[in-house]
Amino acid sequence: MQGRYWIRSAKGERCPGAQYGRQPDGFDFALEKRCAIRYFGHWSIKIRTLDLAHRVGDLEINLLLALDALLRDENVTHAAARLNITQSALSGRLNKLRQILNDPLFLPASTGRGVTATPHALAMKPELEQLLERLKQFAQRAHLFDPALSDRTFRIAASDNPAAILAPDLLPLIHDRAPGVRIAFIFPERSRIGELLEHGDIDLYIGAPDDAPQDLIGRSLFDDELVTAQRIDHPRGTGPLSLDEFCSLDHLLISSNGGMFSGIIDGALAEHGRSRRVTVSVQSYALAPLLVATTDCLCTLPRRLLQRFTHSLDLFEPPLALGRFALKYFWHPKMAADPAHGWLRSIVAEAALDKA
């Protein structure tokens, strides 16, 4: 039986006469294949065979490549050239393979030129070729991303305002270039954005510039002007919107937290000593244009959102200076070099620029 064994007493003393590689008297190695303990008086004998399962960890990729090159070329000089290493380096790898696999693997050819593979080496050739091909595919999958062939699902955390602005431009681009890719828009848990990005539960977060933790990578997506919408054929008419009209008419407000009737615009009006009448409060940006189109309420939102509804809405410049609507997209630093994630970022940025 091939293997290594250690013969020690229960106290750790070496068994008299026991030598590495010699079968002790009275012990039948055939009875135990992997690991066994037999007792002879107060002496114990422990045998541990080193089968291939224990040696897999020693099979480095460069050793597998050396074996493959020798099987292909059956010539040490040619195989070394294939691997772009010296003959002595290849010989070193071959010696290590012989020790690990417990087989000479290659013998000098009878012609005096090249080497001849042993039956054991030839038996490994088909599996070796498949293994190296799988390793190649693994490396390519890790470092390459083909959107046309991918079936990956990307998750973007965004409130319905960024989603309503971006999705109509983003989804056609993805469908055209990556028909197998799926996109999930989910509502963000702002208190957990960093954690969710770090764990890969979401791929991107789209929000206001100051909405995300400082340790995330963020880039400006776009900033947009705010405009005021009213329904077509509104009783007010289509003339420029004055501050008095703005303050006297009913307004619809989007309250992200729900139920609020005052927001940023009301703060801007207060600075001028004015106020407006908010009669409708909703949480959904996507719902707002539909309600404005069927009521006499005004609504002030980003132009990129409202301009999609000009078939039912008229848009006007607000009668007072308002800040711009800015968005950034954020991701975790660990994804910076990921090709698939880089593609997602690039196509989101392209969609944001599409009608900016």
Side-chain angles (χ1 to χ4, degrees):
M1 177 178 178
Q2 293 180 348
R4 296 180 183 178
Y5 53 84
W6 298 265
I7 306 177
R8 300 286 178 181
S9 71
K11 298 179 180 180
E13 301 168 312
R14 185 172 179 177
C15 178
Q19 297 179 1
Y20 170 77
R22 184 170 68 85
Q23 176 174 321
D25 294 336
F27 190 86
D28 183 3
F29 281 123
L31 295 177
E32 303 292 343
K33 296 296 184 183
R34 291 179 178 270
C35 182
I37 297 178
R38 296 283 297 272
Y39 294 92
F40 298 88
H42 73 286
W43 296 101
S44 67
I45 304 175
K46 184 176 183 180
I47 294 87
R48 177 171 297 168
T49 65
L50 298 181
D51 58 18
L52 288 180
H54 295 109
R55 305 177 189 180
V56 169
D58 295 328
L59 282 172
E60 304 167 0
I61 292 179
N62 61 357
L63 297 181
L64 298 178
L65 293 173
L67 179 58
D68 177 67
L70 286 167
L71 284 168
R72 290 176 182 272
D73 296 320
E74 294 189 331
N75 184 289
V76 174
T77 302
H78 295 166
R82 177 189 293 272
L83 298 171
N84 197 28
I85 60 175
T86 63
Q87 293 185 45
S88 60
L90 179 57
S91 296
R93 295 182 186 183
L94 177 57
N95 287 334
K96 191 169 184 178
L97 280 166
R98 286 167 169 165
Q99 295 175 6
I100 295 171
L101 300 175
N102 196 28
D103 188 86
L105 299 176
F106 298 93
L107 300 173
S110 58
T111 61
R113 300 178 61 182
V115 293
T116 299
T118 65
H120 185 46
L122 290 174
M124 290 188 294
K125 185 176 181 179
E127 289 292 336
L128 177 62
E129 291 175 348
Q130 294 179 22
L131 174 59
L132 292 176
E133 180 61 26
R134 287 195 294 270
L135 287 172
K136 180 181 177 181
Q137 293 173 359
F138 170 79
Q140 289 175 340
R141 185 174 181 85
H143 296 286
L144 296 176
F145 175 73
D146 186 347
L149 301 177
S150 177
D151 60 356
R152 183 163 171 170
T153 298
F154 293 104
R155 293 175 172 82
I156 300 175
S159 65
D160 65 337
N161 187 13
I165 292 174
L166 283 174
D169 292 322
L170 175 63
L171 298 183
L173 289 176
I174 292 177
H175 179 73
D176 180 58
R177 302 177 191 177
V181 165
R182 301 189 299 177
I183 297 290
F185 284 97
I186 62 175
F187 284 108
E189 299 180 59
R190 287 186 174 85
S191 63
R192 299 183 60 222
I193 288 299
E195 173 191 347
L196 295 173
L197 286 170
E198 181 179 5
H199 294 166
D201 297 315
I202 58 176
D203 297 290
L204 283 179
Y205 168 59
I206 299 175
D210 57 354
D211 268 357
Q214 294 295 319
D215 58 345
L216 299 178
I217 300 175
R219 295 290 184 271
S220 177
L221 200 55
F222 65 82
D223 67 78
D224 196 12
E225 64 176 339
L226 297 174
V227 296
T228 300
Q230 67 181 37
R231 69 175 176 87
I232 291 177
D233 296 328
H234 192 283
R236 187 192 73 81
T238 57
L241 186 61
S242 69
L243 184 58
D244 287 338
E245 287 179 313
F246 189 84
C247 293
S248 65
L249 294 170
D250 291 344
H251 288 260
L252 180 147
L253 176 142
I254 289 86
S255 171
S256 298
N257 295 325
M260 303 298 293
F261 287 85
S262 179
I264 295 174
I265 296 173
D266 299 280
L269 285 170
E271 292 178 0
H272 293 80
R274 305 296 296 266
S275 63
R276 63 174 180 167
R277 183 168 181 261
V278 177
T279 58
V280 180
S281 175
V282 298
Q283 283 188 278
S284 170
Y285 282 84
L287 179 61
L290 303 177
L291 296 180
V292 172
T294 58
T295 68
D296 288 338
C297 288
L298 305 185
C299 185
T300 303
L301 289 173
R303 179 180 291 277
R304 285 193 62 172
L305 174 63
L306 291 175
Q307 69 186 4
R308 300 185 185 280
F309 300 90
T310 52
H311 62 280
S312 59
L313 301 177
D314 289 324
L315 307 183
F316 302 90
E317 297 294 328
L320 74 164
L322 299 173
R324 295 179 67 83
F325 176 78
L327 283 179
K328 292 181 70 173
Y329 58 140
F330 302 88
W331 63 93
H332 195 274
K334 73 175 187 178
M335 304 303 295
D338 181 70
H341 199 274
W343 175 83
L344 174 65
R345 299 194 302 267
S346 67
I347 203 166
V348 167
E350 183 178 347
L353 292 173
D354 208 34
K355 294 184 179 180

